[in-house]
């Protein structure tokens, strides 16, 4: 009996192993299996012979005289998944691609340097761009054809024609590719403007007035669909409204931030923002949730709370941080990149937004007696309906309006809504979660670090400072190399790709801000080392701007100079502001003149396209109005500093120490037995005062 049982157990074990083996067996596996990017790994079992972007692949393409087919996307991209299913998982398509091309897959988040060039190329070719971004290029990487999403039949037809054309008329294609490469270089040239005067406040007013024609004053944001959240736009306008006493601009910022927070683009159940809304009322999001949006929006809502004391803004910042903690935070302190737009629906099919939407029947069943209040609050009606009986939660009324409708108090309403949202969150957790892109990117972590610092600064929650310090230490330990340079990415305990300018710019800014709330000079020292490394390895003497790529990396067609502020501020605008602030602490290093020259080089476009240079426009305000250096010296320097940072004073930096410090602003200021604060402009100071209230009064005078 024991013998029979023994063999039975072996048989069961073998069967179990075979079943497990069968579950992980794939018919196809390509070179992407050795990569760490979740996006590249998603394509590792396509029948297409994908390879990652490496110099040796281009060298082989030139030896074999074979065209490159370069497909660029990212893990949370919905249409990337659609094209994969229709084309890249299809054996007929794969055979065509494998026979005629060397096929390269690129994660745009890991290699923004390559993505920038090919995005410019497709916009020159077709006038539009997006992802997936598909490029056909000569063996040397010079592009001559491009498209975004392409259905299977059109994809096959296009590739057959391109392969045939290369065989029959290589010279024509080569000439076109060379002309396009020259165009790609020309559109990125920057003139070193030594003749112009710095942009004035009067000119800035003109720029904002031109920009105002695009304001959607009823629904917030710009008059367009889709509507992207543009944190640097609203951040500058908040600064401008408070600095120039412009109530109309402040009202627009309020409208925008309120409507975004009310909209479906904000996850009312779990916190955090999706990438954009497809409509004008911020209702139906493209459901992917990106770290870079949520980091910047945390900063923005925390600042807006400091200005307005609007509890909605505080709540949004808090809930966004909770979302990032729960869904995007690695135990080591780094932050992951994104959550996918798609997730498995009840039929086990990948569906955009499946994790986030609700039917009326579900809500009625889950919420019981409170469903009527909830449905009025979040518009479970024609206003909130999406498609196929699914609703995306959206508000359009204040708490007071809804409370009055149901004859209850606002606190009673909030209790009902919060209890209902908790029930929905509990129910939603049982659904299949969206896929996670768990790579850790330096620049996006820099943005989230800055968000946490600002949340601590303006909301006063010590937990946010603890999170910020944990992340700052993660960056220091895992992303900064022994030579003082940075890595771009981190995954599975290792960092590989050399960093780009945005990685340096965001971390410098975040570390500088972390110093201002802790007075720990370690963070300031690290920031300065990164700044000096950037000047040495990214600076372009000809244009007096920074290249996006280091001189230690090979360039493709050109070394890009990034100037326009997009959803994320341009790396050059961030660096110009970093230089300006460091100039206040290190007057003899030339940082200030460099910052001014960079501003001159781009300011010609401000009047017509202010919204595309909104981060640069902070610098215009800094240079045209008083910018304060606040120095605190004495035993109580930290407590006074903590009071000062609660106030929104964007035109200032803050330094502090118990005794005379290493910084010029802190030298020879110690008075035994006293803690004194000095409000200075370019090192010239007002009479010292002994508390935060008097400091803020001097700043207001």
């Amino acid at each position: 009996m024991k013998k029979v049982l023994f063999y039975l157990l072996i048989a069961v074990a073998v069967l179990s192993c075979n079943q497990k083996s069968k579950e992980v067996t794939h018919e196809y596996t390509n070179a992407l299996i050795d990569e760490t990017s979740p996006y590249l790994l998603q394509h590792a079992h396509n029948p297409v012979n994908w390879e990652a972007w490496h110099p040796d692949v281009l060298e082989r393409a030139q030896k074999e005289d074979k065209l490159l087919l370069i497909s660029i996307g990212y893990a949370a991209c919905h249409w990337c998944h659609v094209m994969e299913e229709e084309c890249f998982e299809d054996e007929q398509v794969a055979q065509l691609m494998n026979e005629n091309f060397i096929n390269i897959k690129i994660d745009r988040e890991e290699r923004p340097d390559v993505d920038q060039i090919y995005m410019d190329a497709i916009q020159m070719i077709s006038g539009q761009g997006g992802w997936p971004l598909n490029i056909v290029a000569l063996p040397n990487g010079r592009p001559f054809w491009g498209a975004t999403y392409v259905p299977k039949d059109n994809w096959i037809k296009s590739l057959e024609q391109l392969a045939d054309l290369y065989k029959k008329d290589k010279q024509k294609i080569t000439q076109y590719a060379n002309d396009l490469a020259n165009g790609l270089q020309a559109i990125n040239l920057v003139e070193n403007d030594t003749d112009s005067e710095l942009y004035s406040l009067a000119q800035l007013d003109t720029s904002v007035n031109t920009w105002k024609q695009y304001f959607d004053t009823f629904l917030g944001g710009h008059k367009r669909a889709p509507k992207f959240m543009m944190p640097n736009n609203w951040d500058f306008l908040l600064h401008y409204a408070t600095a120039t006493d412009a109530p109309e601009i402040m009202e627009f910022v309020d409208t925008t931030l309120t409507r975004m927070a009310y909209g479906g683009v904000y996850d009312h159940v779990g916190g955090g923002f999706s990438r954009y809304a497809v409509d004008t009322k911020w209702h139906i999001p493209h459901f992917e949730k990106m770290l870079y949006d949520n980091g910047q929006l945390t900063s923005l809502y925390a600042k807006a709370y400091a200005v307005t004391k609007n509890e909605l803004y505080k709540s949004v910042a808090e809930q966004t941080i909770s979302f990032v903690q729960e869904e995007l935070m690695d135990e080591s302190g780094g932050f992951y990149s994104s959550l996918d737009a798609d997730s498995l629906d009840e039929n086990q099919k990948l569906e955009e937004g499946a994790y986030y939407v609700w039917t009326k029947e579900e809500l009625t069943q889950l919420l019981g007696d409170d469903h009527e209040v909830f449905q009025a609050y979040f518009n479970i009606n024609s206003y909130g309906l999406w498609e196929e009986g699914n609703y995306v939660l959206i508000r359009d009324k204040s708490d007071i309006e809804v409370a009055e409708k149901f004859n209850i108090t606002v606190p009673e309403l909030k209790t009902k809504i919060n209890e209902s949202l908790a029930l929905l969150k509990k129910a939603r957790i049982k659904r299949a979660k969206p896929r996670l892109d768990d790579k850790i990117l330096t620049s996006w972590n820099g943005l989230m670090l800055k968000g946490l610092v600002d949340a601590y600064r303006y909301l006063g929650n010590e937990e946010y400072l603890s999170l910020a310090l944990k992340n700052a230490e993660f960056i220091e330990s895992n992303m900064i190399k022994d030579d003082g340079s940075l890595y771009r990415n981190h995954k599975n305990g290792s960092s590989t790709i050399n960093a780009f300018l945005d990685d340096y710019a965001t971390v410098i800014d975040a570390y500088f801000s972390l110093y201002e709330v802790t007075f720990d000079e370690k963070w300031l020292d690290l920031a300065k080392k990164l700044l000096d490394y950037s000047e040495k390895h990214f600076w372009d003497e000809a244009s007096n701007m920074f290249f996006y790529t280091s001189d230690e990396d090979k360039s493709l067609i050109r070394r890009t100079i990034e100037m326009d502020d997009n959803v994320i501020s341009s790396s050059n605008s961030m660096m110009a502001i970093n230089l300006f602030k460091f100039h206040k602490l290190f007057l003899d290093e030339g940082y200030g003149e460099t910052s001014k020259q960079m501003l001159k080089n781009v300011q010609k476009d401000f009047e017509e396209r202010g919204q595309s240079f909104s981060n640069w426009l902070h610098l215009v305000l800094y240079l045209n109005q008083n910018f304060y250096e606040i120095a605190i010296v004495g035993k109580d320097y930290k407590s006074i500093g903590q009071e000062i940072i609660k106030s929104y004073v964007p035109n200032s930096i803050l330094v502090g120490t118990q005794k005379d410090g290493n910084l010029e602003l802190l030298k020879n200021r110690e008075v035994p037995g006293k803690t004194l604060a000095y409000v200075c402009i370019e090192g010239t100071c007002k009479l010292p005062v002994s508390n935060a209230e008097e400091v803020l009064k001097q700043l207001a005078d």
Side-chain angles (χ1 to χ4, degrees), residues 142-287:
R142 294 191 168 194
F144 62 87
W145 181 89
T148 53
Y149 163 74
V150 184
K152 175 184 171 181
D153 291 343
N154 292 352
W155 182 246
I156 291 172
K157 185 178 179 181
S158 297
L159 295 189
E160 287 176 340
Q161 290 175 344
L162 291 165
D164 187 57
L165 186 60
Y166 187 64
K167 291 172 185 174
K168 293 179 178 177
D169 202 346
K170 185 186 299 185
Q171 185 177 354
K172 182 178 180 181
I173 284 182
T174 301
Q175 183 60 52
Y176 179 77
N178 290 339
D179 290 343
L180 185 59
N182 291 334
L184 289 170
Q185 291 174 334
I187 64 169
N188 202 234
L189 293 176
V190 179
E191 180 185 352
N192 184 32
D193 186 348
T194 56
D195 298 326
S196 299
E197 297 294 322
L198 281 169
Y199 215 66
S200 67
L201 275 181
Q203 289 174 302
L204 182 61
D205 292 340
T206 301
S207 174
V208 172
N209 284 329
T210 302
W211 183 358
K212 280 164 60 175
Q213 66 183 301
Y214 303 107
F215 289 1
D216 183 340
T217 54
F218 177 60
L219 293 169
H222 293 141
K223 295 175 185 174
R224 56 164 291 180
K227 273 191 174 176
F228 283 85
M229 292 162 295
M230 300 294 291
N232 55 47
N233 278 193
W234 325 137
D235 184 54
F236 163 72
L237 291 173
L238 180 69
H239 181 187
Y240 178 85
T242 55
T244 64
D245 190 22
E248 182 184 2
I249 301 298
M250 190 65 226
E251 183 180 358
F252 170 68
V253 173
D254 263 328
T255 298
T256 299
L257 297 190
T258 299
R259 289 289 190 172
M260 281 165 46
Y262 277 9
V265 76
Y266 180 67
D267 182 359
H268 298 278
V269 174
F273 288 87
S274 295
R275 194 160 76 94
Y276 64 88
V278 301
D279 52 70
T280 60
K281 63 184 184 182
W282 306 104
H283 182 207
I284 305 303
H286 190 40
F287 290 89

Side-chain angles (χ1 to χ4, degrees), residues 269-517:
V269 174
F273 288 87
S274 295
R275 194 160 76 94
Y276 64 88
V278 301
D279 52 70
T280 60
K281 63 184 184 182
W282 306 104
H283 182 207
I284 305 303
H286 190 40
F287 290 89
E288 60 198 11
K289 294 169 86 171
M290 317 299 292
L291 179 66
Y292 64 77
D293 283 319
N294 287 286
Q296 293 179 95
L297 290 165
T298 298
S299 285
L300 177 59
Y301 276 91
K303 291 175 185 177
Y305 173 73
V307 173
T308 65
K309 300 305 177 187
N310 185 335
E311 289 293 324
L312 173 67
Y313 299 162
K314 181 180 182 181
S315 174
V316 167
E318 291 172 338
Q319 291 172 17
T320 300
I321 292 171
S322 293
F323 154 70
V324 171
Q325 269 187 281
E326 290 176 17
E327 303 292 346
L328 297 179
M329 188 169 184
D330 185 81
E331 61 183 13
S332 64
F335 295 110
Y336 302 138
S337 295
S338 64
L339 288 178
D340 206 325
D342 299 353
S343 55
L344 294 173
D345 63 14
E346 58 188 11
N347 299 314
Q348 298 304 298
K349 182 182 177 183
L350 278 176
E351 195 72 36
E352 184 180 10
Y355 186 70
Y356 300 101
V357 299
W358 305 91
T359 64
K360 185 176 287 189
E361 292 72 25
E362 280 180 302
L363 294 172
T364 302
Q365 184 178 357
L366 285 166
L367 303 180
D369 293 340
D370 287 335
H371 82 273
E372 189 177 351
V373 173
F374 185 89
Q375 290 183 13
Y377 194 84
F378 284 114
N379 286 287
I380 310 304
N381 51 38
S382 60
Y383 189 77
L385 180 64
W386 178 26
E387 60 185 17
E388 299 178 2
N390 289 315
Y391 291 83
V392 176
L393 307 184
I394 180 172
R395 296 178 59 186
D396 69 339
K397 293 181 177 61
S398 68
D399 288 345
I400 293 173
E401 289 174 288
V402 179
E404 286 178 350
K405 178 180 178 180
F406 288 92
N407 197 27
I408 56 177
T409 66
V410 168
E412 287 173 332
L413 173 68
K414 286 185 174 180
T415 298
K416 286 179 179 290
I417 294 301
N418 288 337
E419 288 175 351
S420 295
L421 289 172
L423 287 172
L424 295 192
K425 187 172 183 179
K426 188 175 180 180
R428 197 172 77 174
I429 288 171
K430 298 175 184 177
R431 298 176 178 178
K433 281 191 172 185
R435 291 178 290 187
L436 171 70
D437 184 335
D438 61 349
K439 69 176 178 293
I440 296 171
L441 296 173
T442 301
S443 63
W444 297 7
N445 273 254
L447 294 171
M448 192 65 228
L449 174 56
K450 180 68 181 298
L452 289 169
V453 171
D454 284 339
Y456 166 69
R457 182 173 194 146
Y458 298 118
L459 308 185
N461 188 330
E462 290 285 340
E463 182 188 356
Y464 300 155
L465 180 59
S466 297
L467 284 172
L469 288 168
K470 187 174 181 179
N471 182 246
E473 287 159 3
F474 169 86
I475 293 171
E476 179 190 11
S477 300
N478 296 280
M479 311 309 256
I480 301 180
K481 305 180 196 178
D482 292 339
D483 66 357
S485 64
L486 284 169
Y487 286 112
R488 169 71 177 178
N489 66 329
H490 183 85
K491 178 91 185 324
N492 297 337
S494 65
S495 306
T496 52
I497 299 169
N498 287 338
F500 304 107
L501 187 62
D502 56 341
D503 298 301
Y504 288 85
T506 53
V507 174
I508 291 166
D509 180 28
Y511 276 178
F512 190 100
S513 299
L514 187 57
Y515 164 75
E516 288 186 290
V517 300

Side-chain angles (χ1 to χ4, degrees), residues 59 139 231 247 389 607 620:
E59 290 171 11
E607 182 173 340
V620 176

Side-chain angles (χ1 to χ4, degrees), residues 118-124 126-133 146-149:
Y118 288 135
M119 183 58 71
D120 281 352
I122 195 174
Q123 288 174 336
M124 290 180 71
S126 67
Q128 58 186 7
W131 298 278
L133 170 56
T148 53
Y149 163 74

Side-chain angles (χ1 to χ4, degrees), residues 633-646:
V633 181
K635 180 183 176 182
D636 299 323
Y637 74 106
K638 285 190 175 180
S639 60
I640 292 176
Q642 286 172 349
E643 286 300 310
I644 292 171
I645 62 174
K646 293 176 184 177

Side-chain angles (χ1 to χ4, degrees), residues 239 242-243 458 581 618 622 627 647-653:
H239 181 187
T242 55
Y458 298 118
K581 290 183 177 179
H618 285 290
Y622 293 157
F627 190 95
S647 297
Y648 177 73
V649 189
N651 56 324
S652 67
I653 59 169

